[in-house]
Amino acid sequence: MATNSDSLQRRALRYLSSPKNIAGSLLALVGLALFFTHVIGAIWPAVVIAMYAVGALAAPGRRRYDLAGNFDPDEVRSALGHVTGMARGKLPPDAAAKLAEIVKEVSDLIPYAASFPAGSQDLFVIQRMATDYLPATLQPYLALPPDYAQKRPMADGRTALQVLMDQLNLLDSKMDEITDAVHQQDRDRLLTNGRFLEDRFGNRGGGLALPTPPASSGS
């Protein structure tokens, strides 16, 4: 039987990996950077706490999804529109192009939702890509001043823009994987139909020959 302590520990661990904690932590790091670069002085603890709070409040909470539940295409389309709107005019060209590519991949897969098996993990990822993964990736970056995000190295030596591009490339690779899996079904059906047609109408030379109609009787 789980104790109250176990329950609190699980909730704490869930929060640590939540979009709210990630966004708050990134903004808090910006506050620390302002202190270490002498932009702010003795008030830095209050600034760091305030920036964490802003990030945590602005980020969406963790969404709960039932893998066995229904895929909602309208929600996905609405979420894609929101993501596109929030980033419009605020990303460098490479990041904007990568985001547009991911949005298009998600949008193009919506009509195939019925072909996924019930409880499909891939369908779950498609929905969360629009409603959760993309917003949680973009919001911390968009909260930073553009010059700082594009030019100031962070703790690992990368700029915020480089981190954003790495994350967008990771999301894009997952969408490529799902797209390939979906279209593989169509390729398999095409090959199966081709083998059927070869068996039905093909000749020994490998070409596709339709049956010759019977000659009409002349007068």
Side-chain angles (χ1 to χ4, degrees):
M1 182 175 181
T3 65
N4 288 336
S5 176
D6 292 337
S7 177
L8 288 172
Q9 185 177 18
R10 285 196 297 270
R11 278 186 287 179
L13 290 173
R14 283 198 299 269
Y15 180 77
L16 287 175
S17 62
S18 70
K20 286 185 173 295
N21 183 53
I22 293 171
S25 297
L26 286 172
L27 282 185
L29 287 174
V30 174
L32 285 174
L34 293 176
F35 169 69
F36 287 122
T37 55
H38 307 292
V39 175
I40 56 176
I43 63 169
W44 71 268
V47 173
V48 170
I49 292 172
M51 294 187 76
Y52 178 91
V54 169
L57 290 172
R62 186 186 297 278
R63 293 174 178 263
R64 295 180 179 270
Y65 291 97
D66 178 6
L67 284 178
N70 293 326
F71 177 80
D72 188 341
D74 291 334
E75 181 183 17
V76 173
R77 291 188 183 97
S78 176
L80 291 177
H82 173 70
V83 166
T84 301
M86 70 185 286
R88 185 175 292 117
K90 299 177 182 178
L91 295 176
D94 288 350
K98 181 59 64 176
L99 174 63
E101 183 178 345
I102 298 171
V103 168
K104 184 178 187 305
E105 287 174 319
V106 175
S107 181
D108 288 347
L109 286 173
I110 293 175
Y112 292 90
S115 66
F116 287 84
S120 167
Q121 178 68 28
D122 284 345
L123 195 59
F124 172 74
V125 169
I126 292 171
Q127 180 137 342
R128 290 205 63 180
M129 187 69 67
T131 60
D132 198 353
Y133 301 152
L134 283 174
T137 298
L138 292 171
Q139 283 171 340
Y141 177 85
L142 295 176
L144 298 171
D147 285 346
Y148 185 98
Q150 296 178 36
K151 299 176 182 177
R152 183 67 63 87
M154 300 195 300
D156 64 355
R158 295 180 296 170
T159 65
L161 176 58
Q162 289 171 327
V163 173
L164 175 67
M165 287 301 300
D166 288 345
Q167 293 175 354
L168 289 176
N169 284 327
L170 182 61
L171 296 179
D172 182 43
S173 67
K174 183 59 182 177
M175 290 310 306
D176 287 342
E177 178 185 321
I178 295 174
T179 299
D180 286 344
V182 168
H183 294 316
Q184 181 64 48
Q185 300 176 30
D186 294 329
R187 292 194 294 266
D188 290 344
R189 284 196 293 266
L190 181 63
L191 291 173
T192 299
N193 188 63
R195 287 192 290 269
F196 164 76
L197 292 177
E198 285 291 340
D199 290 342
R200 179 67 179 84
F201 302 121
N203 56 37
R204 292 185 179 180
L208 185 65
L210 295 178
T212 303
S216 58
S217 57
S219 54

